[in-house]
């Protein structure tokens, strides 16, 4: 059973470009969470999605960031018009039920570098 | 969610038990204690969680004090591969959908 798969593992973008990060949850998991980890800092929650629904986006920046989890295919975290401050590791996690009843399984992360 | 306090860093000799403390003096009755770790450059990994009873699995043991104000994660025979940042998190089962990661304890296992 493959774990949470994230791609790309590394992404380099110039300021003003768009970044798209993909996350395929573990088989059978329908709950997806995105976290961001800035260099030398802790993990910060961004958004929680279930299939076709955003449940909690309280950690998402108000502008340029969006997330989706379509009925088919991976979850996508999209960052428009990237700036240097967006350089970070973005981790996706999944669970079989809402976190209040179980554990989170994390992917290996996507590392975004903005030049 | 209750705030947790952990030492910034700890050392442990390879093969010895690593005991990682966590203080959560303001924990509520319905809040669970979760432990995760993050090995350098990897995604966080779930270790164990508990409510009030001590818990053990193939990775570690979790000892929660009777008053639940603190807990200890025990890695019985630490190896070099256990070098990581260990996060203690408390969360109620009806308190939203995010885990709040603090600074954690950086455990260095030395040969």
């Amino acid at each position: 059973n493959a774990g949470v798969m994230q791609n790309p593992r590394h992404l380099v973008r110039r300021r003003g470009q768009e970044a798209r990060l993909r996350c395929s949850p573990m088989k059978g998991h329908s709950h997806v969470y995105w976290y961001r980890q800035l260099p030398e800092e802790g993990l910060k929650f961004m958004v929680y999605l279930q299939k076709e629904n955003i449940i909690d986006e309280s950690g998402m920046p108000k502008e340029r960031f969006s997330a989706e989890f379509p009925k088919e295919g991976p979850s996508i975290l999209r960052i428009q018009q990237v700036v240097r401050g967006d350089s970070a590791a973005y981790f996706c996690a999944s669970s079989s039920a809402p976190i209040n009843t179980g554990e989170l399984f994390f992917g290996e992360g996507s590392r975004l570098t903005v030049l | 969610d209750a705030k947790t306090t952990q030492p910034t860093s700890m050392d442990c000799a390879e093969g010895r038990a690593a005991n990682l403390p966590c203080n959560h003096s303001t924990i509520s009755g319905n809040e669970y204690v979760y432990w995760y770790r993050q090995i350098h450059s990897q995604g966080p990994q779930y270790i164990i969680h508990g409510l009030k009873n001590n818990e053990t699995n193939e990775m570690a043991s979790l000892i929660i004090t009777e008053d639940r104000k603190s807990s200890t994660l025990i890695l019985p025979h630490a190896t070099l591969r256990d070098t990581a940042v260990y996060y203690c998190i408390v969360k109620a089962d009806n308190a939203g959908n995010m885990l709040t990661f603090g600074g954690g304890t950086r455990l260095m296992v030395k040969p």
Side-chain angles (χ1 to χ4, degrees), chain B residues 22-110:
Chain B
C22 180
N23 185 295
H24 33 78
S25 58
T26 59
I27 194 169
S28 300
N30 64 343
E31 288 183 312
Y32 287 77
V33 180
Y34 288 83
W35 283 85
Y36 281 75
R37 73 179 182 183
Q38 187 175 24
I39 297 170
H40 182 63
S41 296
Q42 296 183 21
Q45 177 188 24
Y46 166 84
I47 302 173
I48 200 166
H49 76 282
L51 183 62
K52 57 177 78 171
N53 296 324
N54 297 337
E55 302 287 344
T56 295
N57 62 22
E58 65 278 3
M59 287 183 69
S61 295
L62 173 61
I63 308 298
I64 303 174
T65 57
E66 194 168 340
D67 62 8
R68 302 212 320 124
K69 293 182 184 297
S70 66
S71 60
T72 301
L73 178 75
I74 301 173
L75 307 178
H77 306 287
T79 71
L80 299 179
R81 288 178 294 180
D82 292 321
T83 292
V85 178
Y86 288 76
Y87 298 98
C88 169
I89 303 164
V90 293
K91 184 189 173 306
D93 58 3
N94 61 351
N97 304 292
M98 71 188 83
L99 292 178
T100 301
F101 289 80
T105 295
R106 188 173 297 275
L107 175 69
M108 178 75 72
V109 180
K110 298 185 173 181

Side-chain angles (χ1 to χ4, degrees), chain A residues 33 35 37 48 100 104 111, chain B residues 36 38 41 44 93 97 99:
Chain A
Y33 311 76
Y35 282 76
Q37 188 169 34
Y48 162 44
N100 49 306
L104 286 183
R111 280 152 185 83
Chain B
Y36 281 75
Q38 187 175 24
S41 296
D93 58 3
N97 304 292
L99 292 178

